[in-house]
Amino acid sequence: MTALEKATGDVVLKFEPFVLHVLCQELQDAQLLQSVAIESGFRNSGITVGRGGKIVMAVRSTHCLEVPLSHKGKLMVSEEYIEFLINVANRKMEENT
């Protein structure tokens, strides 16, 4: 809260979820890993095939959080709401593990 009170610009609370990139030898391997990832709750997972044939499977979750807290130095939310957001972000971090 002290840092927020001293801020002169915009402050945003941002949580970015777990991301794992896996280089796969075969497309079938990437497809299997993608199926397992999606079934495990990592719904933003996907496969990328580069120009050189490099197959990368990305395991990603949907647990994003981005919330503005202040604008031009003015706090836009209550301390109670910030505590709530911190608890939400901490739960999301626990889900990452």
Side-chain angles (χ1 to χ4, degrees):
M1 289 307 299
T2 303
L4 276 174
E5 290 167 2
K6 292 179 181 179
T8 57
D10 296 351
V11 176
V12 176
L13 174 69
K14 185 172 185 178
F15 173 83
E16 294 188 2
F18 168 82
V19 177
L20 173 67
H21 291 101
V22 180
L23 182 62
C24 301
Q25 287 185 336
E26 303 289 332
L27 183 58
Q28 296 86 342
D29 299 332
Q31 289 171 327
L32 176 60
L33 182 56
Q34 181 185 22
S35 295
V36 171
I38 290 172
E39 289 173 14
S40 298
F42 295 96
R43 293 182 290 275
N44 280 355
S45 299
I47 300 169
T48 303
V49 180
R51 281 187 236 160
K54 185 165 83 170
I55 303 166
V56 178
M57 195 281 158
V59 179
R60 286 177 251 168
S61 76
T62 58
H63 298 113
C64 299
L65 178 67
E66 188 169 353
V67 182
L69 302 178
S70 70
H71 180 65
K72 296 181 180 178
K74 181 181 181 212
L75 189 61
M76 304 302 289
V77 296
S78 68
E79 185 173 345
E80 179 182 359
Y81 186 64
I82 292 170
E83 290 175 15
F84 168 76
L85 290 174
I86 290 169
N87 287 327
V88 170
N90 285 339
R91 280 195 309 272
K92 288 177 181 290
M93 181 63 83
E94 288 174 14
E95 290 175 22
N96 273 336
T97 59

